[in-house]
Amino acid sequence: MTVWMSEPDVGEQLVGVFQNPRLLLGIPLAIAGAVFMSLGAQYQHRGVEKVEQLSGSDGASGLSIDQIKRLLTRPSWIAGTLMLGLAIVCQLAALSQAPLIVVQPLGAIALVMTTLLNARVSGHSPTKQSIRAIIACVGGIFLFVTFAAIYAAEKKITDIELFTILAILLVVIIVLGGGWLILRHRMRALFYVIGAGILYGFVATLAKAVINRIEAGNFEWITLVCVIALVAASAVGGYFVQTAYSSGPPDLVIAGLTVVDPLIAVLIGMVVLGEATAAPPWVLVIFGVAGAIAVWGVVGLARYHPQVISESQDLGITRGSDGGTQNDPAGGSDRAE
């Protein structure tokens, strides 16, 4: 009989989780990271838009070296980068306190904040459909994290588990790199968002593994390889995100990341790291339902995003405070760069 079918063990696990102050601290740290991620995405998107205007070229098929250099001088992009740095610090701190399957789903809160911020900046009021999508996203995440906080279990990460994660990451990098080299001129934001989400899912997993090994005093050569892989995946994922910003609103980019990143990290946490071994079958069903609700919410937000609907003229939405075409949100934000 497996561990999760033993009622006494589950009961002990429940008590242990609720009395664990580290897990309770990890949740607010993860939420703080999501807030900084949202703000950072908004400011970085402004910087990319401004650089595209100044360079006179579209970066949707990949930012050029010149555009990357220009980004390094944009105040808004630098501010966004600093905020994303704070988001990373908060996430790492959260990962040091709580299991991966508890921390990562909370990043989707950045989607809600980014949507509201972008609505204020661009002058596009949220539609009823987009509000329902936001509620579904937050509700699904809340349901998932509630049960994950009760049943998630941490254990020492073995060398075999690290080898498995690194091997899967190598395959992913080969596939993404090959696709980018061959089809880069035909790929749009969707490819870059999905690619970045996958890589960031591995980044979070590797960060959790490195923290686990350091706390256990096992900083060996394989831990160093994990650090190198983490930095490389972060760099490539960051490039993909900047390229995706040139093809759409920042909240749509965040929407894709908040689906793919937690999905990859949670799957690795449950399948490879065994963080859900204490959960009974009915809780796994709840995990699946909660995840489906959150994904439905993100997909709905992408579909009924007010800016996308307005620009496609499917629905009339007032732009700015006076409703006129002269009030160009992009132009206004660029002048504030």
PDB file of all heavy atoms in Angstrom, residues 201-235:
ATOM      1  N   GLY A 201       9.869  27.477 -16.427  1.00  0.00           N
ATOM      2  CA  GLY A 201       9.451  26.371 -15.580  1.00  0.00           C
ATOM      3  C   GLY A 201      10.645  25.552 -15.112  1.00  0.00           C
ATOM      4  O   GLY A 201      10.717  25.138 -13.940  1.00  0.00           O
ATOM      5  N   PHE A 202      11.601  25.344 -16.016  1.00  0.00           N
ATOM      6  CA  PHE A 202      12.827  24.622 -15.646  1.00  0.00           C
ATOM      7  C   PHE A 202      13.714  25.479 -14.751  1.00  0.00           C
ATOM      8  O   PHE A 202      14.398  24.956 -13.858  1.00  0.00           O
ATOM      9  CB  PHE A 202      13.595  24.200 -16.900  1.00  0.00           C
ATOM     10  CG  PHE A 202      13.070  22.945 -17.528  1.00  0.00           C
ATOM     11  CD1 PHE A 202      12.145  22.996 -18.553  1.00  0.00           C
ATOM     12  CD2 PHE A 202      13.506  21.699 -17.099  1.00  0.00           C
ATOM     13  CE1 PHE A 202      11.652  21.833 -19.136  1.00  0.00           C
ATOM     14  CE2 PHE A 202      13.028  20.535 -17.666  1.00  0.00           C
ATOM     15  CZ  PHE A 202      12.090  20.608 -18.694  1.00  0.00           C
ATOM     16  N   VAL A 203      13.716  26.794 -14.988  1.00  0.00           N
ATOM     17  CA  VAL A 203      14.515  27.684 -14.139  1.00  0.00           C
ATOM     18  C   VAL A 203      14.054  27.588 -12.688  1.00  0.00           C
ATOM     19  O   VAL A 203      14.871  27.470 -11.769  1.00  0.00           O
ATOM     20  CB  VAL A 203      14.410  29.141 -14.646  1.00  0.00           C
ATOM     21  CG1 VAL A 203      14.966  30.112 -13.598  1.00  0.00           C
ATOM     22  CG2 VAL A 203      15.168  29.305 -15.951  1.00  0.00           C
ATOM     23  N   ALA A 204      12.742  27.643 -12.472  1.00  0.00           N
ATOM     24  CA  ALA A 204      12.210  27.538 -11.112  1.00  0.00           C
ATOM     25  C   ALA A 204      12.554  26.190 -10.484  1.00  0.00           C
ATOM     26  O   ALA A 204      12.925  26.114  -9.309  1.00  0.00           O
ATOM     27  CB  ALA A 204      10.692  27.739 -11.136  1.00  0.00           C
ATOM     28  N   THR A 205      12.454  25.133 -11.290  1.00  0.00           N
ATOM     29  CA  THR A 205      12.763  23.801 -10.787  1.00  0.00           C
ATOM     30  C   THR A 205      14.235  23.678 -10.407  1.00  0.00           C
ATOM     31  O   THR A 205      14.583  23.149  -9.341  1.00  0.00           O
ATOM     32  CB  THR A 205      12.417  22.733 -11.834  1.00  0.00           C
ATOM     33  OG1 THR A 205      11.051  22.873 -12.220  1.00  0.00           O
ATOM     34  CG2 THR A 205      12.643  21.341 -11.275  1.00  0.00           C
ATOM     35  N   LEU A 206      15.115  24.174 -11.280  1.00  0.00           N
ATOM     36  CA  LEU A 206      16.552  24.124 -11.005  1.00  0.00           C
ATOM     37  C   LEU A 206      16.904  24.988  -9.795  1.00  0.00           C
ATOM     38  O   LEU A 206      17.767  24.624  -8.994  1.00  0.00           O
ATOM     39  CB  LEU A 206      17.341  24.570 -12.228  1.00  0.00           C
ATOM     40  CG  LEU A 206      17.309  23.610 -13.425  1.00  0.00           C
ATOM     41  CD1 LEU A 206      17.948  24.258 -14.649  1.00  0.00           C
ATOM     42  CD2 LEU A 206      18.018  22.302 -13.088  1.00  0.00           C
ATOM     43  N   ALA A 207      16.240  26.141  -9.673  1.00  0.00           N
ATOM     44  CA  ALA A 207      16.492  26.998  -8.517  1.00  0.00           C
ATOM     45  C   ALA A 207      16.114  26.276  -7.229  1.00  0.00           C
ATOM     46  O   ALA A 207      16.837  26.335  -6.227  1.00  0.00           O
ATOM     47  CB  ALA A 207      15.698  28.299  -8.650  1.00  0.00           C
ATOM     48  N   LYS A 208      14.969  25.598  -7.257  1.00  0.00           N
ATOM     49  CA  LYS A 208      14.548  24.828  -6.088  1.00  0.00           C
ATOM     50  C   LYS A 208      15.561  23.727  -5.774  1.00  0.00           C
ATOM     51  O   LYS A 208      15.905  23.500  -4.605  1.00  0.00           O
ATOM     52  CB  LYS A 208      13.172  24.214  -6.356  1.00  0.00           C
ATOM     53  CG  LYS A 208      12.642  23.345  -5.220  1.00  0.00           C
ATOM     54  CD  LYS A 208      12.380  24.174  -3.981  1.00  0.00           C
ATOM     55  CE  LYS A 208      11.774  23.339  -2.882  1.00  0.00           C
ATOM     56  NZ  LYS A 208      11.532  24.132  -1.645  1.00  0.00           N
ATOM     57  N   ALA A 209      16.064  23.062  -6.814  1.00  0.00           N
ATOM     58  CA  ALA A 209      17.042  21.988  -6.618  1.00  0.00           C
ATOM     59  C   ALA A 209      18.343  22.520  -6.023  1.00  0.00           C
ATOM     60  O   ALA A 209      18.918  21.918  -5.108  1.00  0.00           O
ATOM     61  CB  ALA A 209      17.313  21.292  -7.949  1.00  0.00           C
ATOM     62  N   VAL A 210      18.815  23.660  -6.546  1.00  0.00           N
ATOM     63  CA  VAL A 210      20.063  24.245  -6.044  1.00  0.00           C
ATOM     64  C   VAL A 210      19.911  24.668  -4.588  1.00  0.00           C
ATOM     65  O   VAL A 210      20.798  24.410  -3.754  1.00  0.00           O
ATOM     66  CB  VAL A 210      20.477  25.444  -6.918  1.00  0.00           C
ATOM     67  CG1 VAL A 210      21.641  26.202  -6.280  1.00  0.00           C
ATOM     68  CG2 VAL A 210      20.864  24.978  -8.317  1.00  0.00           C
ATOM     69  N   ILE A 211      18.787  25.313  -4.272  1.00  0.00           N
ATOM     70  CA  ILE A 211      18.538  25.719  -2.886  1.00  0.00           C
ATOM     71  C   ILE A 211      18.493  24.501  -1.970  1.00  0.00           C
ATOM     72  O   ILE A 211      19.056  24.507  -0.870  1.00  0.00           O
ATOM     73  CB  ILE A 211      17.217  26.508  -2.794  1.00  0.00           C
ATOM     74  CG1 ILE A 211      17.350  27.849  -3.513  1.00  0.00           C
ATOM     75  CG2 ILE A 211      16.807  26.726  -1.342  1.00  0.00           C
ATOM     76  CD1 ILE A 211      16.045  28.604  -3.641  1.00  0.00           C
ATOM     77  N   ASN A 212      17.827  23.439  -2.421  1.00  0.00           N
ATOM     78  CA  ASN A 212      17.722  22.211  -1.640  1.00  0.00           C
ATOM     79  C   ASN A 212      19.097  21.616  -1.375  1.00  0.00           C
ATOM     80  O   ASN A 212      19.405  21.195  -0.253  1.00  0.00           O
ATOM     81  CB  ASN A 212      16.820  21.220  -2.375  1.00  0.00           C
ATOM     82  CG  ASN A 212      16.556  19.957  -1.588  1.00  0.00           C
ATOM     83  OD1 ASN A 212      17.421  19.092  -1.491  1.00  0.00           O
ATOM     84  ND2 ASN A 212      15.349  19.841  -1.035  1.00  0.00           N
ATOM     85  N   ARG A 213      19.938  21.593  -2.407  1.00  0.00           N
ATOM     86  CA  ARG A 213      21.282  21.001  -2.259  1.00  0.00           C
ATOM     87  C   ARG A 213      22.175  21.852  -1.349  1.00  0.00           C
ATOM     88  O   ARG A 213      22.936  21.316  -0.542  1.00  0.00           O
ATOM     89  CB  ARG A 213      21.936  20.855  -3.633  1.00  0.00           C
ATOM     90  CG  ARG A 213      21.135  20.055  -4.649  1.00  0.00           C
ATOM     91  CD  ARG A 213      21.244  18.576  -4.428  1.00  0.00           C
ATOM     92  NE  ARG A 213      22.531  18.058  -4.864  1.00  0.00           N
ATOM     93  CZ  ARG A 213      22.795  16.778  -5.067  1.00  0.00           C
ATOM     94  NH1 ARG A 213      21.851  15.870  -4.848  1.00  0.00           N
ATOM     95  NH2 ARG A 213      23.985  16.375  -5.467  1.00  0.00           N
ATOM     96  N   ILE A 214      22.074  23.171  -1.481  1.00  0.00           N
ATOM     97  CA  ILE A 214      22.901  24.040  -0.647  1.00  0.00           C
ATOM     98  C   ILE A 214      22.503  23.910   0.818  1.00  0.00           C
ATOM     99  O   ILE A 214      23.365  23.840   1.709  1.00  0.00           O
ATOM    100  CB  ILE A 214      22.775  25.508  -1.115  1.00  0.00           C
ATOM    101  CG1 ILE A 214      23.425  25.676  -2.490  1.00  0.00           C
ATOM    102  CG2 ILE A 214      23.426  26.452  -0.109  1.00  0.00           C
ATOM    103  CD1 ILE A 214      23.277  27.059  -3.071  1.00  0.00           C
ATOM    104  N   GLU A 215      21.197  23.875   1.072  1.00  0.00           N
ATOM    105  CA  GLU A 215      20.733  23.711   2.457  1.00  0.00           C
ATOM    106  C   GLU A 215      21.186  22.387   3.044  1.00  0.00           C
ATOM    107  O   GLU A 215      21.436  22.291   4.257  1.00  0.00           O
ATOM    108  CB  GLU A 215      19.206  23.812   2.512  1.00  0.00           C
ATOM    109  CG  GLU A 215      18.673  25.208   2.262  1.00  0.00           C
ATOM    110  CD  GLU A 215      17.161  25.268   2.343  1.00  0.00           C
ATOM    111  OE1 GLU A 215      16.519  24.195   2.257  1.00  0.00           O
ATOM    112  OE2 GLU A 215      16.612  26.366   2.489  1.00  0.00           O
ATOM    113  N   ALA A 216      21.315  21.359   2.178  1.00  0.00           N
ATOM    114  CA  ALA A 216      21.763  20.048   2.652  1.00  0.00           C
ATOM    115  C   ALA A 216      23.286  19.941   2.682  1.00  0.00           C
ATOM    116  O   ALA A 216      23.826  18.902   3.086  1.00  0.00           O
ATOM    117  CB  ALA A 216      21.188  18.947   1.756  1.00  0.00           C
ATOM    118  N   GLY A 217      23.991  20.999   2.265  1.00  0.00           N
ATOM    119  CA  GLY A 217      25.450  20.991   2.246  1.00  0.00           C
ATOM    120  C   GLY A 217      26.035  20.126   1.161  1.00  0.00           C
ATOM    121  O   GLY A 217      27.162  19.633   1.291  1.00  0.00           O
ATOM    122  N   ASN A 218      25.302  19.953   0.047  1.00  0.00           N
ATOM    123  CA  ASN A 218      25.761  19.103  -1.064  1.00  0.00           C
ATOM    124  C   ASN A 218      26.011  19.918  -2.326  1.00  0.00           C
ATOM    125  O   ASN A 218      25.393  19.704  -3.364  1.00  0.00           O
ATOM    126  CB  ASN A 218      24.717  18.014  -1.377  1.00  0.00           C
ATOM    127  CG  ASN A 218      24.548  17.045  -0.230  1.00  0.00           C
ATOM    128  OD1 ASN A 218      25.509  16.769   0.497  1.00  0.00           O
ATOM    129  ND2 ASN A 218      23.348  16.541  -0.054  1.00  0.00           N
ATOM    130  N   PHE A 219      26.895  20.896  -2.259  1.00  0.00           N
ATOM    131  CA  PHE A 219      27.217  21.680  -3.453  1.00  0.00           C
ATOM    132  C   PHE A 219      28.347  20.979  -4.206  1.00  0.00           C
ATOM    133  O   PHE A 219      29.522  21.297  -4.059  1.00  0.00           O
ATOM    134  CB  PHE A 219      27.622  23.105  -3.084  1.00  0.00           C
ATOM    135  CG  PHE A 219      27.630  24.037  -4.265  1.00  0.00           C
ATOM    136  CD1 PHE A 219      26.495  24.731  -4.614  1.00  0.00           C
ATOM    137  CD2 PHE A 219      28.772  24.199  -5.028  1.00  0.00           C
ATOM    138  CE1 PHE A 219      26.488  25.584  -5.708  1.00  0.00           C
ATOM    139  CE2 PHE A 219      28.778  25.047  -6.124  1.00  0.00           C
ATOM    140  CZ  PHE A 219      27.633  25.747  -6.464  1.00  0.00           C
ATOM    141  N   GLU A 220      27.951  19.991  -5.031  1.00  0.00           N
ATOM    142  CA  GLU A 220      28.916  19.207  -5.794  1.00  0.00           C
ATOM    143  C   GLU A 220      28.899  19.646  -7.252  1.00  0.00           C
ATOM    144  O   GLU A 220      28.243  20.635  -7.616  1.00  0.00           O
ATOM    145  CB  GLU A 220      28.570  17.719  -5.657  1.00  0.00           C
ATOM    146  CG  GLU A 220      28.553  17.254  -4.201  1.00  0.00           C
ATOM    147  CD  GLU A 220      27.986  15.859  -4.053  1.00  0.00           C
ATOM    148  OE1 GLU A 220      27.359  15.374  -5.022  1.00  0.00           O
ATOM    149  OE2 GLU A 220      28.146  15.264  -2.981  1.00  0.00           O
ATOM    150  N   TRP A 221      29.598  18.897  -8.110  1.00  0.00           N
ATOM    151  CA  TRP A 221      29.718  19.299  -9.514  1.00  0.00           C
ATOM    152  C   TRP A 221      28.365  19.322 -10.219  1.00  0.00           C
ATOM    153  O   TRP A 221      28.112  20.188 -11.061  1.00  0.00           O
ATOM    154  CB  TRP A 221      30.670  18.348 -10.247  1.00  0.00           C
ATOM    155  CG  TRP A 221      30.146  16.939 -10.405  1.00  0.00           C
ATOM    156  CD1 TRP A 221      30.328  15.898  -9.554  1.00  0.00           C
ATOM    157  CD2 TRP A 221      29.359  16.446 -11.483  1.00  0.00           C
ATOM    158  NE1 TRP A 221      29.688  14.781 -10.016  1.00  0.00           N
ATOM    159  CE2 TRP A 221      29.092  15.075 -11.203  1.00  0.00           C
ATOM    160  CE3 TRP A 221      28.845  17.006 -12.654  1.00  0.00           C
ATOM    161  CZ2 TRP A 221      28.337  14.289 -12.068  1.00  0.00           C
ATOM    162  CZ3 TRP A 221      28.091  16.213 -13.504  1.00  0.00           C
ATOM    163  CH2 TRP A 221      27.849  14.862 -13.211  1.00  0.00           C
ATOM    164  N   ILE A 222      27.468  18.422  -9.857  1.00  0.00           N
ATOM    165  CA  ILE A 222      26.160  18.406 -10.515  1.00  0.00           C
ATOM    166  C   ILE A 222      25.330  19.631 -10.106  1.00  0.00           C
ATOM    167  O   ILE A 222      24.530  20.148 -10.897  1.00  0.00           O
ATOM    168  CB  ILE A 222      25.405  17.098 -10.189  1.00  0.00           C
ATOM    169  CG1 ILE A 222      24.152  16.996 -11.071  1.00  0.00           C
ATOM    170  CG2 ILE A 222      25.041  17.027  -8.717  1.00  0.00           C
ATOM    171  CD1 ILE A 222      23.462  15.662 -10.973  1.00  0.00           C
ATOM    172  N   THR A 223      25.556  20.116  -8.885  1.00  0.00           N
ATOM    173  CA  THR A 223      24.877  21.346  -8.468  1.00  0.00           C
ATOM    174  C   THR A 223      25.384  22.519  -9.280  1.00  0.00           C
ATOM    175  O   THR A 223      24.612  23.400  -9.679  1.00  0.00           O
ATOM    176  CB  THR A 223      25.106  21.599  -6.976  1.00  0.00           C
ATOM    177  OG1 THR A 223      24.757  20.427  -6.227  1.00  0.00           O
ATOM    178  CG2 THR A 223      24.266  22.767  -6.487  1.00  0.00           C
ATOM    179  N   LEU A 224      26.689  22.535  -9.552  1.00  0.00           N
ATOM    180  CA  LEU A 224      27.270  23.592 -10.381  1.00  0.00           C
ATOM    181  C   LEU A 224      26.709  23.541 -11.796  1.00  0.00           C
ATOM    182  O   LEU A 224      26.407  24.576 -12.404  1.00  0.00           O
ATOM    183  CB  LEU A 224      28.795  23.461 -10.408  1.00  0.00           C
ATOM    184  CG  LEU A 224      29.538  24.511 -11.245  1.00  0.00           C
ATOM    185  CD1 LEU A 224      29.262  25.914 -10.710  1.00  0.00           C
ATOM    186  CD2 LEU A 224      31.041  24.220 -11.236  1.00  0.00           C
ATOM    187  N   VAL A 225      26.522  22.335 -12.326  1.00  0.00           N
ATOM    188  CA  VAL A 225      25.916  22.183 -13.655  1.00  0.00           C
ATOM    189  C   VAL A 225      24.491  22.731 -13.647  1.00  0.00           C
ATOM    190  O   VAL A 225      24.054  23.383 -14.607  1.00  0.00           O
ATOM    191  CB  VAL A 225      25.916  20.694 -14.082  1.00  0.00           C
ATOM    192  CG1 VAL A 225      25.115  20.511 -15.368  1.00  0.00           C
ATOM    193  CG2 VAL A 225      27.345  20.200 -14.276  1.00  0.00           C
ATOM    194  N   CYS A 226      23.771  22.508 -12.568  1.00  0.00           N
ATOM    195  CA  CYS A 226      22.413  23.044 -12.444  1.00  0.00           C
ATOM    196  C   CYS A 226      22.423  24.573 -12.457  1.00  0.00           C
ATOM    197  O   CYS A 226      21.553  25.207 -13.068  1.00  0.00           O
ATOM    198  CB  CYS A 226      21.763  22.547 -11.157  1.00  0.00           C
ATOM    199  SG  CYS A 226      21.287  20.802 -11.189  1.00  0.00           S
ATOM    200  N   VAL A 227      23.407  25.168 -11.784  1.00  0.00           N
ATOM    201  CA  VAL A 227      23.508  26.628 -11.764  1.00  0.00           C
ATOM    202  C   VAL A 227      23.766  27.168 -13.173  1.00  0.00           C
ATOM    203  O   VAL A 227      23.152  28.144 -13.608  1.00  0.00           O
ATOM    204  CB  VAL A 227      24.627  27.084 -10.798  1.00  0.00           C
ATOM    205  CG1 VAL A 227      24.851  28.591 -10.918  1.00  0.00           C
ATOM    206  CG2 VAL A 227      24.279  26.718  -9.364  1.00  0.00           C
ATOM    207  N   ILE A 228      24.683  26.505 -13.896  1.00  0.00           N
ATOM    208  CA  ILE A 228      24.989  26.930 -15.264  1.00  0.00           C
ATOM    209  C   ILE A 228      23.762  26.794 -16.156  1.00  0.00           C
ATOM    210  O   ILE A 228      23.434  27.694 -16.948  1.00  0.00           O
ATOM    211  CB  ILE A 228      26.162  26.104 -15.833  1.00  0.00           C
ATOM    212  CG1 ILE A 228      27.433  26.378 -15.025  1.00  0.00           C
ATOM    213  CG2 ILE A 228      26.384  26.420 -17.310  1.00  0.00           C
ATOM    214  CD1 ILE A 228      28.605  25.488 -15.407  1.00  0.00           C
ATOM    215  N   ALA A 229      23.067  25.666 -16.042  1.00  0.00           N
ATOM    216  CA  ALA A 229      21.851  25.452 -16.833  1.00  0.00           C
ATOM    217  C   ALA A 229      20.780  26.468 -16.469  1.00  0.00           C
ATOM    218  O   ALA A 229      20.049  26.961 -17.344  1.00  0.00           O
ATOM    219  CB  ALA A 229      21.336  24.034 -16.609  1.00  0.00           C
ATOM    220  N   LEU A 230      20.677  26.803 -15.192  1.00  0.00           N
ATOM    221  CA  LEU A 230      19.697  27.792 -14.742  1.00  0.00           C
ATOM    222  C   LEU A 230      19.968  29.158 -15.373  1.00  0.00           C
ATOM    223  O   LEU A 230      19.045  29.819 -15.872  1.00  0.00           O
ATOM    224  CB  LEU A 230      19.762  27.891 -13.213  1.00  0.00           C
ATOM    225  CG  LEU A 230      18.737  28.751 -12.474  1.00  0.00           C
ATOM    226  CD1 LEU A 230      18.619  28.244 -11.029  1.00  0.00           C
ATOM    227  CD2 LEU A 230      19.142  30.219 -12.437  1.00  0.00           C
ATOM    228  N   VAL A 231      21.230  29.592 -15.355  1.00  0.00           N
ATOM    229  CA  VAL A 231      21.596  30.891 -15.938  1.00  0.00           C
ATOM    230  C   VAL A 231      21.340  30.908 -17.441  1.00  0.00           C
ATOM    231  O   VAL A 231      20.798  31.873 -17.992  1.00  0.00           O
ATOM    232  CB  VAL A 231      23.071  31.218 -15.636  1.00  0.00           C
ATOM    233  CG1 VAL A 231      23.509  32.481 -16.373  1.00  0.00           C
ATOM    234  CG2 VAL A 231      23.282  31.387 -14.133  1.00  0.00           C
ATOM    235  N   ALA A 232      21.722  29.818 -18.121  1.00  0.00           N
ATOM    236  CA  ALA A 232      21.528  29.741 -19.572  1.00  0.00           C
ATOM    237  C   ALA A 232      20.050  29.772 -19.943  1.00  0.00           C
ATOM    238  O   ALA A 232      19.627  30.507 -20.850  1.00  0.00           O
ATOM    239  CB  ALA A 232      22.183  28.472 -20.117  1.00  0.00           C
ATOM    240  N   ALA A 233      19.235  29.000 -19.241  1.00  0.00           N
ATOM    241  CA  ALA A 233      17.794  28.978 -19.515  1.00  0.00           C
ATOM    242  C   ALA A 233      17.165  30.336 -19.217  1.00  0.00           C
ATOM    243  O   ALA A 233      16.261  30.783 -19.941  1.00  0.00           O
ATOM    244  CB  ALA A 233      17.119  27.883 -18.684  1.00  0.00           C
ATOM    245  N   SER A 234      17.631  31.012 -18.168  1.00  0.00           N
ATOM    246  CA  SER A 234      17.107  32.339 -17.836  1.00  0.00           C
ATOM    247  C   SER A 234      17.430  33.343 -18.938  1.00  0.00           C
ATOM    248  O   SER A 234      16.579  34.169 -19.309  1.00  0.00           O
ATOM    249  CB  SER A 234      17.692  32.826 -16.508  1.00  0.00           C
ATOM    250  OG  SER A 234      17.330  31.980 -15.449  1.00  0.00           O
ATOM    251  N   ALA A 235      18.653  33.278 -19.468  1.00  0.00           N
ATOM    252  CA  ALA A 235      19.063  34.214 -20.513  1.00  0.00           C
ATOM    253  C   ALA A 235      18.245  34.019 -21.788  1.00  0.00           C
ATOM    254  O   ALA A 235      17.747  34.979 -22.380  1.00  0.00           O
ATOM    255  CB  ALA A 235      20.553  34.053 -20.804  1.00  0.00           C
TER     256      ALA A 235
END
